[in-house]
Amino acid sequence: MANIDLKATSWKLVEIGRVVLIRRGPYTGKLAVIVEIIDHRRVLVDGPSTNGDKIVPRHSLSLAHATLTPFVIPKLPRAAGTGPVRKLWEKEDIDGKWAQSSFAKKAAQQERRKNLTDFERFKVMRLKKQARYEVLKAQAKLRAAAKSS
């Protein structure tokens, strides 16, 4: 018989304690944690964020309206109440980890760009033009140096 090495998958699984990003509904863009799996399409979520405007009340959520994140709250008991979920949320520093994730940074940048005024968009365009000019000037200098060598 051949020796086979089994490796655990790196997929994000729907599990108790998995942090999800809500994509649709009144809580769009907020984080919640799965506290109970109702069936293969719905889960019970609770979002006791430390930010007052990011709190998600306990409710049923369709998995089609959620994006699984790589963050998991380990050892979260099934159907845990909001109090224990809040303590574990703060202990794991989910809000801090989320703020450092590339997905959150990209979303913040998109939001910032979406809210620019006309004059601010003009300034961004001029700065990009200036940076492009500097890059092309450096490339031309390198080409000239390579040609003369």
Side-chain angles (χ1 to χ4, degrees):
M1 279 231 157
N3 291 335
I4 299 173
D5 287 335
L6 294 178
K7 249 172 65 172
T9 62
S10 60
W11 292 350
K12 293 178 235 157
L13 302 173
V14 175
E15 59 185 321
I16 306 295
R18 174 71 62 184
V19 178
V20 297
L21 175 68
I22 300 174
R23 291 185 296 158
R24 288 191 205 134
Y27 306 108
T28 301
K30 295 183 181 181
L31 293 177
V33 65
I34 297 174
V35 293
E36 186 66 58
I37 298 171
I38 298 171
D39 60 22
H40 68 287
R41 291 186 185 178
R42 300 190 71 73
V43 292
L44 185 66
V45 296
D46 197 359
S49 177
T50 52
N51 300 339
D53 59 337
K54 302 269 185 186
I55 293 176
V56 177
R58 180 179 289 244
H59 70 285
S60 171
L61 178 70
S62 172
L63 287 172
H65 298 173
T67 299
L68 301 175
T69 68
F71 308 118
V72 179
I73 298 177
K75 299 179 183 170
L76 182 70
R78 292 179 67 105
T82 304
V85 172
R86 180 178 291 121
K87 286 179 187 171
L88 289 171
W89 183 282
E90 290 169 359
K91 181 182 172 195
E92 292 295 318
D93 189 31
I94 298 298
D95 289 326
K97 288 178 183 176
W98 175 252
Q100 295 303 315
S101 72
S102 60
F103 190 90
K105 288 178 183 176
K106 188 175 177 181
Q109 183 183 23
Q110 286 174 345
E111 185 66 27
R112 231 183 1 255
R113 284 188 177 169
K114 189 171 82 173
N115 292 326
L116 289 179
T117 64
D118 196 27
F119 182 61
E120 289 168 335
R121 277 193 295 280
F122 172 76
K123 289 195 292 189
V124 168
M125 181 205 54
R126 295 293 297 176
L127 288 171
K128 283 184 178 180
K129 205 174 194 180
Q130 184 179 3
R132 188 170 56 242
Y133 174 76
E134 295 297 326
V135 168
L136 290 175
K137 192 164 80 171
Q139 286 176 346
K141 197 180 283 188
L142 285 173
R143 277 195 302 270
K147 206 177 220 186
S148 66
S149 298

